């Protein structure tokens, strides 16, 4: 391997602090760092200690000051409503300032937590930037989560305010957000002082003024008329910019904390070097602001680097058809597209011969990036054939915030190995260890870990839970961050990510906790015990499948129980859980110490080779599971 990638990686390895200092110098700081990296600070050290900055300033004001004010910063394209609108950097700055003024006038300031529960509309992005502007810490909650999940997050981060909208739009249905928000606020132990609600034309929501509801658009209008100016609040580089919750092994999600300084340095570097886009070009991450892809590559990365970003309110198929991505690429001259493999599997299913691709002029597109789940070689090859541009699988996590491994378009593409997201990016020293923590030879399967310290932009801790961060990510392999992904690094240094080492499954690019689903299934009065595993699915990669053991005295029709359990998970976790497959079993297979053999069940369900676990209590139960799965068409 040679060329600019190797040169850059080696330059980072030779002197990580000098490497990141050079990148930091391209951004604005109100006060320079005393130390580029301080190993004594935080859980594993902190980047740019002593520095002061503001992320919103670097996303907006800096560009306006540099003459980029008239360039499009944000394009909103909604096949759900037919709306298309673009905002220049200058206009985004005005919108963000007005929301920042509203927040400030309601007493929200530096360090306060603000939950953002919004669909894919420009105000969602403006709200995130408004929080950054005043130094408040935002926590975006994906719209597909139900009230209970929202309440958990309000409580965990002790939210002072919530910014929401009256509704979201899913194909064929309006999703009323306000009843979910009201229910969450009623459930939460911590009551936010204010809920700012944007009324959408599709559905107006009754506001509960007595609970602190504020009509967001009206409040913004007042600030706009008054021309209220809100300067960017200087924050420490190490102050939190946001908390983003991600599934843990239990129902209690983990609040990934991202700082201001390291985050902006890392993301700004990635836009040109990994994604190969220059300032002024259009970058489109077809995801949702509720996920880390949305944070990093709909909002912060592109804006920090002076790119135009797209807020897309639609789906890859059905809004109105499998050509919608190509229509957006053509209409807005997208240079690089980032999405999840699931989206492409859906497009391929509906348009196998690429008839829709040929309908549009997508000659401006230079590359497609895939992440969020394993990109199967078939999907990659289909996309390469249809789009005739490099299709780049890359691997990262909510925790890291930016790619651990990629084929860096900006540094010069390396040869593709199908099934591999290519090579570690500068900042990441990737190793593979056995369960005892010893490095394994190249090409051997093991635990993928990253040598500490993590680079700028990665999580610094979990919100209010340093100990949980240490115990779940840093303790098992001292000196390393545990990715909880298993895989190999081959002779050429290419990483192959094969499976999770915990109970997290990946369904349609969404990380879901089967443990959390089990907790909900167990709430049903007829369920004695249960197990939820992820089983292979052609479209979504994996889907959750519940195995229920009913209480002895239950004589009810199982289909009714099935419906109720499915609804319970939908109500408690949300539609995003995609929990629709439930089977009745007499017993669950366990080890003699009582551990459910989920891994073996999953192998049977997916028709993979499996071995009888030596510690199994009653081997006959696996035959029963096999029969039930076969009856449902699996295994
Ligand atoms: C690299 C680091 C990371 O991994 S970050 C995570 C990256 N992941 C992603 O970007 C996600 C990629 N996936 C997607 O964008 C979607 O799954 C795509 C492919 C577009 C398909 O969407 P869809 O057809 O809705 O299926 P789904 O499985 O996502 O949805 C399941 C049910 O949930 C619903 N849902 C979805 N979003 C919302 C929302 N914002 N508000 C309310 N409900 C939502 C869907 O309508 C669907 O409901 P139903 O079960 O069909 O009734």
């Amino acid at each position: 391997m040679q060329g600019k990638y190797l040169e850059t990686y080696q330059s980072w390895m030779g002197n990580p602090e000098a490497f990141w200092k050079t990148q930091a110098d391209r951004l604005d700081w109100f006060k320079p760092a005393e130390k580029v990296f301080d190993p004594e600070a935080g859980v594993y050290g902190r980047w740019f200690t002593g520095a002061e900055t503001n992320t919103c300033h670097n996303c907006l004001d800096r560009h306006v000051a540099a003459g980029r004010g008239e360039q499009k910063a944000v394009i909103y394209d909604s096949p759900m409503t037919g709306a298309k609108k673009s905002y220049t950097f200058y206009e985004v700055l005005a919108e963000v300032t007005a929301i920042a003024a509203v927040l400030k006038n309601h007493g929200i300031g530096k360090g306060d937590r603000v939950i953002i529960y919004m669909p894919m509309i420009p105000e969602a992005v403006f709200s995130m930037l408004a929080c950054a502007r005043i130094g408040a810490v935002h926590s975006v909650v994906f719209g597909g989560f139900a009230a209970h999940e929202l309440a958990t997050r309000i409580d965990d981060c002790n939210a002072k305010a919530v910014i929401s909208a009256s509704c979201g739009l899913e194909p064929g249905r309006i999703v009323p957000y306000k009843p979910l928000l009201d229910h969450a606020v009623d459930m939460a132990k911590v009551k936010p002082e204010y809920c700012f609600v944007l009324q959408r034309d599709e559905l107006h929501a009754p506001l509960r003024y007595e609970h602190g509801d504020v009509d967001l658009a009206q409040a913004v209008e007042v600030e706009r008329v008054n021309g209220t100016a809100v300067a960017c609040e200087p924050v420490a580089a190490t102050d939190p910019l946001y908390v983003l919750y991600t599934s843990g092994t239990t129902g209690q999600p983990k609040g990934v904390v991202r700082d201001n300084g390291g985050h902006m340095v890392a993301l700004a570097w990635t836009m040109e070097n990994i994604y190969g886009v220059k300032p002024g070009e259009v970058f489109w991450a077809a995801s949702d602001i509720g996920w880390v892809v949305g944070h990093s590559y709909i909002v912060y990365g592109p804006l920090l680097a002076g790119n135009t970003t797209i807020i897309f309110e639609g789906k890859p198929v059905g809004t109105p058809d499998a050509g919608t991505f190509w229509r957006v690429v053509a209409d807005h001259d997208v240079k690089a597209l980032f999405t999840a493999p699931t989206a492409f599997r859906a497009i391929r299913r509906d348009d196998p011969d690429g008839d829709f691709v040929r309908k549009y002029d997508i000659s401006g597109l230079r590359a497609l990036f895939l992440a969020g789940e394993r990109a199967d070689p078939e999907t990659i090859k289909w996309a390469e054939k249809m789009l005739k541009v490099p299709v780049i699988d890359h691997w990262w996590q909510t925790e890291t915030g930016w790619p651990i491994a990629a084929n860096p378009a900006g540094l010069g593409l390396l040869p593709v190995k199908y099934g591999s997201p290519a090579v570690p990016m500068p900042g990441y020293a990737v190793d593979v260890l056995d369960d005892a923590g010893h490095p394994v030879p190249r090409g051997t399967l093991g635990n993928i870990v990253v040598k500490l310290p993590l680079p700028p932009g990665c999580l610094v801790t979990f919100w209010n839970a340093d100990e949980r961060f240490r115990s779940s990510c840093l303790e098992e392999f001292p000196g390393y961050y545990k990715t909880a992904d298993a895989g190999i690094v081959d002779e050429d240094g290419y990483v192959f990510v094969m499976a999770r080492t915990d109970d997290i499954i990946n369904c349609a690019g969404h990380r879901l906790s089967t443990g959390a689903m089990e907790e909900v299934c167990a709430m049903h009065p007829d369920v004695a015990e249960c197990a939820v595993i992820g089983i292979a699915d052609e479209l979504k990669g994996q889907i959750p499948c519940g195995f229920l053991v009913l209480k002895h005295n239950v004589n009810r029709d199982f289909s009714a129980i099935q419906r109720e359990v499915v609804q319970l998970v939908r109500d408690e976790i949300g539609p995003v859980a995609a929990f629709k497959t439930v089977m009745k079993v007499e017993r669950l297979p366990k080890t003699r110490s009582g551990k459910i053999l989920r891994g073996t069940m999953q192998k049977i369900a997916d028709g993979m080779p499996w071995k009888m676990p030596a510690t199994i209590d009653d081997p006959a139960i696996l035959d029963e599971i096999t029969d039930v799965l076969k009856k449902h068409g699996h295994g």
Side-chain angles (χ1 to χ4, degrees):
M1 198 186 308
Q2 45 186 299
K4 198 151 174 225
Y5 159 70
L6 197 59
E7 196 184 296
T8 310
Y9 192 80
Q10 284 174 345
S11 119
W12 160 72
M13 249 191 358
N15 191 341
E17 291 186 33
F19 180 88
W20 292 117
K21 163 94 174 57
T22 305
Q23 311 314 322
D25 287 346
R26 296 167 195 215
L27 295 159
D28 284 354
W29 302 84
F30 301 150
K31 199 172 151 219
E34 284 153 21
K35 288 186 181 168
V36 175
F37 181 72
D38 181 354
E40 302 306 321
V43 178
Y44 62 85
R46 297 299 303 265
W47 291 94
F48 305 109
T49 50
E52 280 184 4
T53 186
N54 183 284
T55 298
C56 179
H57 167 88
N58 276 289
C59 286
L60 302 176
D61 307 60
R62 181 172 61 100
H63 296 308
V64 171
R68 212 172 266 288
E70 297 306 321
Q71 181 201 307
K72 282 182 195 172
V74 170
I75 295 170
Y76 168 54
D77 189 311
S78 171
M80 303 301 299
T81 63
K84 271 194 212 178
K85 192 167 178 194
S86 60
Y87 301 80
T88 63
F89 274 95
Y90 184 77
E91 287 166 336
V92 174
L93 179 56
E95 299 286 342
V96 168
T97 304
I99 298 181
V102 170
L103 296 177
K104 269 195 105 161
N105 285 344
H106 286 81
I108 295 151
K110 191 167 169 174
D112 290 333
R113 271 80 59 207
V114 177
I115 294 265
I116 298 175
Y117 183 58
M118 287 184 122
M120 286 294 289
I121 53 178
E123 288 78 3
V125 173
F126 302 156
S127 298
M128 292 166 76
L129 291 162
C131 289
R133 190 167 192 84
I134 62 171
V137 180
H138 63 69
S139 184
V140 181
V141 179
F142 178 61
F145 282 122
H148 177 261
E149 293 291 312
L150 181 55
T152 307
R153 287 152 173 79
I154 292 173
D155 278 339
D156 193 77
C157 74
N158 208 333
K160 187 161 180 180
V162 180
I163 308 178
S164 189
S166 53
C167 67
L169 305 173
E170 285 294 295
R173 72 179 202 274
I174 293 176
V175 183
Y177 275 27
K178 190 61 175 40
L180 296 171
L181 172 60
D182 290 348
H183 190 193
V185 169
D186 293 343
M187 251 189 290
K189 292 182 203 79
V190 172
K191 304 294 175 201
E193 285 174 31
Y194 297 103
C195 290
F196 302 95
V197 180
L198 183 87
Q199 298 283 16
R200 299 190 76 185
D201 290 344
E202 292 73 18
L203 180 77
H204 273 237
L207 299 189
R208 305 194 303 181
Y209 294 103
E210 70 285 7
H211 286 261
D213 283 358
V214 176
D215 183 309
L216 181 64
Q218 280 176 10
V220 162
E221 195 47 35
V222 171
E223 302 305 339
R224 227 183 247 135
V225 169
N226 292 345
T228 317
V230 180
C232 287
E233 181 75 31
V235 293
T238 50
D239 278 344
L241 170 68
Y242 71 75
V243 180
L244 177 59
Y245 287 89
T246 184
S247 301
T249 46
T250 65
Q252 184 65 24
K254 306 179 291 192
V256 164
V257 180
R258 200 87 65 208
D259 67 11
N260 275 274
H263 176 249
M264 63 183 201
V265 171
L267 290 191
W269 180 82
T270 62
M271 293 309 296
E272 230 175 302
N273 293 286
I274 297 182
Y275 296 104
V277 284
K278 300 234 175 304
E281 293 186 328
V282 181
F283 182 84
W284 177 27
S287 180
D288 190 287
I289 49 139
W291 307 120
V292 71
V293 173
H295 283 62
S296 295
Y297 293 113
I298 295 175
V299 186
Y300 291 111
L303 295 179
L304 283 163
N307 295 115
T308 304
T309 186
I310 298 182
I311 302 169
F312 172 72
E313 189 181 27
K315 306 277 176 182
V317 296
T319 61
D321 53 41
T324 199
F325 271 26
W326 320 127
R327 197 267 304 155
V328 173
V329 168
D331 279 1
H332 307 300
D333 194 21
V334 172
K335 297 295 181 205
L337 167 62
F338 177 163
T339 192
T342 306
F344 258 77
R345 288 194 291 268
I347 294 172
R348 181 179 167 206
R349 184 194 57 190
D350 283 16
D351 184 26
D353 300 326
D355 295 337
F356 279 112
V357 186
R358 283 187 292 277
K359 264 181 73 179
Y360 298 95
D361 175 9
I362 58 163
S363 55
L365 186 70
R366 290 200 297 260
L368 166 69
F369 292 85
L370 297 175
E373 59 182 309
R374 183 176 169 271
D376 51 291
E378 283 316 302
T379 301
I380 296 184
K381 286 177 189 167
W382 180 83
E384 282 174 337
K385 190 169 150 206
M386 294 301 151
L387 305 182
K388 299 178 179 59
V389 296
V391 176
I392 300 169
D393 179 15
H394 61 323
W395 168 61
W396 49 294
Q397 308 181 316
T398 305
E399 287 83 346
T400 65
W402 61 281
I404 304 173
N407 199 338
L411 296 177
L413 285 175
L414 304 169
V416 172
K417 292 195 188 191
Y418 291 104
S420 166
V423 293
M425 290 296 94
Y428 296 98
V430 173
D431 275 325
V432 180
L433 307 180
D434 65 18
D435 289 347
H438 307 300
V440 299
R442 288 269 165 129
T444 308
L445 184 69
N447 301 283
I448 310 182
V449 293
V450 178
K451 214 177 209 129
L452 293 175
L454 289 166
C458 288
L459 85 168
V460 292
T461 188
F462 293 142
W463 183 257
N464 268 345
D466 285 355
E467 213 27 66
R468 188 176 180 199
F469 173 49
R470 267 193 208 97
S471 62
S472 59
C473 299
L474 308 182
E475 228 164 64
E476 191 172 342
F477 303 111
Y480 294 94
Y481 162 73
K482 177 179 86 167
T483 65
D485 278 309
I488 63 172
V489 174
D490 77 3
E491 291 299 333
D492 299 321
Y494 279 59
V495 180
F496 289 76
V497 184
M498 322 290 257
R500 286 292 292 183
T501 58
D502 56 15
D503 74 348
I504 301 295
I505 64 166
N506 196 311
C507 174
H510 306 135
R511 219 165 97 170
L512 303 170
S513 160
T514 53
M517 287 185 237
E518 286 181 5
E519 283 173 20
V520 177
C521 293
M523 285 161 55
H524 190 283
D526 294 343
V527 173
E529 62 174 342
C530 63
V532 176
I533 60 168
I535 60 175
D537 180 78
E538 252 187 25
L539 185 65
K540 298 195 179 206
Q542 277 185 308
I543 49 165
C545 171
F547 296 83
L548 308 184
V549 179
L550 301 185
K551 289 180 181 159
H552 284 311
N553 56 355
V554 174
N555 300 315
R556 297 174 61 214
D557 179 18
F558 184 66
S559 58
I561 297 173
Q562 207 170 9
R563 269 196 308 278
E564 289 160 11
V565 171
V566 166
Q567 192 58 45
L568 197 58
V569 174
R570 201 174 167 93
D571 291 346
E572 289 291 315
I573 296 178
V576 67
F579 183 81
K580 292 178 179 170
T581 312
V582 179
M583 301 176 193
K584 181 182 162 190
V585 292
E586 294 307 319
R587 305 176 292 171
L588 290 169
K590 292 182 186 167
T591 61
R592 282 189 284 278
S593 60
K595 201 168 159 259
I596 298 171
L597 290 161
R598 294 179 184 81
T600 312
M601 291 167 76
Q602 183 180 341
K603 286 198 176 105
I604 296 173
D606 291 349
M608 310 263 290
W610 59 278
K611 277 196 203 128
M612 183 63 70
T615 54
I616 192 164
D617 188 31
D618 182 352
I621 303 178
L622 286 178
D623 295 334
E624 295 168 18
I625 297 289
T626 308
D627 288 345
V628 172
L629 279 163
K630 283 229 166 83
K631 239 193 267 163
H632 286 81
H634 298 280

